[in-house]
Amino acid sequence: MNKIEDILVVSDLDNTLLTAENGIPEFNLQMIKKFQQLGGNFTVATGRSIESVAHYLDQMELSTPAITYNGGIIYDYKSKIFLLKETLPESAKQALEIIRQNFPDVGTEIMCDNNRLYMIRENAYTFKHVEDENLSYVCSDVSSVKNNWIKVLFADRNSRLLELQEFCRTLPFDDIEFVMSNTIYFEMLPKGTTKGTALAKLCDMLNLDIKNTVAIGDYYNDIELLRSAGLSVCVDNAPQDIKNICHAVVPKCTDGGVGHLLAQIIKSCNTQ
């Protein structure tokens, strides 16, 4: 293990660091604070928006910029500047039209580079999304969304999204990425935009060796992040195929898995 000040821990948010229902476990908050007081670096990599992440910054400090929108944006909350902004190509509009023709019932949101969420099709699952993340939004039709698109989020029951996922695999768009980010959320992103590619770019910005990063996650949109980091860890509530690609498994989210990881890193550094 390296010196603690050389280590960057990058955590997914939902069902890894916190749950929408219960927030951040107190043990996680205690260990994040202790880890950073000792010189360690901590940030998050999430599908959430800049606005949504900001709701938690009164509880915890991020010592480096955050990866948001599943890698679409790297944002420095301290200086309030964008360090990276990936946007969907024009073909995304055509792809979305095809999807909406075939899945008109699926909830649909467009998130743009003005940090605004446009609600295209509401349902119970989009309502849960904006309620859980305390997001403001504007009801709109697609043609009225003029800003650059960062991502499109589809929300519905898991079985319906699995049907949508299979359908999207048949679409002829090689400049678009699709990923399941939750059991009830499915996303359209620019091709090559992942938490993992964003982590590599963040490390370049910080002049940090990516081998000195530790990533912790729980779901399929974390795969590239986990594969890119020097050490990959998942919480025990992760699916088995996510556990299979990780170096270690820590207790589940609600039992403070991120805190347990940070405690292990602190102990390892202190015993060198």
Side-chain angles (χ1 to χ4, degrees):
M1 182 66 70
N2 297 294
K3 294 179 180 179
I4 197 166
E5 58 265 27
D6 296 327
I7 299 170
L8 171 62
V9 175
V10 185
S11 176
D12 170 52
L13 278 186
D14 289 282
N15 302 313
T16 299
L17 180 63
L18 59 84
T19 63
E21 296 78 13
N22 301 307
I24 308 175
E26 183 59 32
F27 184 59
N28 286 351
L29 292 172
Q30 292 173 0
M31 296 312 300
I32 290 169
K33 184 176 182 179
K34 182 175 181 180
F35 178 68
Q36 292 186 117
Q37 286 176 337
L38 291 170
N41 299 290
F42 181 85
T43 194
V44 298
T46 176
R48 291 196 183 212
S49 67
I50 293 168
E51 175 191 2
S52 181
V53 175
H55 294 315
Y56 296 98
L57 298 186
D58 60 340
Q59 301 178 61
M60 64 176 180
E61 180 183 353
L62 302 180
S63 51
T64 69
I67 296 168
T68 62
Y69 294 92
N70 273 321
I73 287 178
I74 298 177
Y75 187 73
D76 188 337
Y77 283 92
K78 292 181 179 179
S79 59
K80 302 189 185 317
I81 60 171
F82 293 86
L83 301 180
L84 173 74
K85 188 186 294 184
E86 304 284 4
T87 57
L88 279 159
E90 280 296 308
S91 58
K93 297 177 181 178
Q94 183 182 355
L96 179 56
E97 180 59 27
I98 294 171
I99 290 169
R100 293 184 69 216
Q101 288 174 1
N102 288 271
F103 294 83
D105 55 316
V106 171
T108 307
E109 305 170 9
I110 300 174
M111 300 184 185
C112 293
D113 63 352
N114 60 349
N115 199 30
R116 179 164 289 181
L117 186 157
Y118 295 90
M119 188 68 67
I120 307 302
R121 169 69 164 84
E122 290 183 281
N123 65 9
Y125 297 90
T126 60
F127 179 77
K128 175 176 172 56
H129 179 232
V130 297
E131 184 180 57
D132 284 351
E133 298 189 18
N134 193 23
L135 295 172
S136 56
Y137 64 93
V138 176
C139 291
S140 177
D141 57 73
V142 176
S143 62
S144 298
V145 183
K146 303 299 184 183
N147 284 80
N148 293 319
W149 299 8
I150 300 295
K151 72 174 184 178
V152 180
L153 182 142
F154 303 99
D156 214 303
R157 65 187 186 278
N158 183 248
S159 60
R160 188 62 169 154
L161 292 185
L162 291 176
E163 293 175 11
L164 175 56
Q165 182 180 46
E166 286 303 310
F167 177 79
C168 289
R169 286 173 177 155
T170 70
L171 295 178
F173 299 101
D174 58 6
D175 52 357
I176 295 172
E177 196 95 42
F178 292 98
V179 64
M180 290 287 291
S181 57
N182 191 291
T183 56
I184 57 173
Y185 304 137
F186 180 66
E187 301 186 9
M188 178 197 301
L189 297 161
K191 186 68 175 180
T193 297
T194 69
K195 294 180 182 181
T197 55
L199 175 62
K201 292 174 182 177
L202 177 60
C203 287
D204 286 343
M205 294 172 187
L206 300 175
N207 196 27
L208 174 71
D209 189 339
I210 200 168
K211 294 179 182 178
N212 294 341
T213 62
V214 180
I216 179 167
D218 77 298
Y219 210 62
Y220 297 100
N221 61 323
D222 297 320
I223 287 175
E224 294 303 324
L225 176 71
L226 295 168
R227 287 176 171 164
S228 298
L231 182 70
S232 58
V233 182
C234 68
V235 285
D236 196 40
N237 48 279
Q240 186 59 48
D241 43 353
I242 301 299
K243 293 178 180 178
N244 291 343
I245 66 172
C246 289
H247 295 106
V249 179
V250 294
K252 63 184 181 179
C253 171
T254 51
D255 288 341
V258 171
H260 284 274
L261 169 63
L262 294 173
Q264 290 172 21
I265 294 172
I266 291 168
K267 181 179 180 180
S268 176
C269 291
N270 286 342
T271 55
Q272 285 188 359

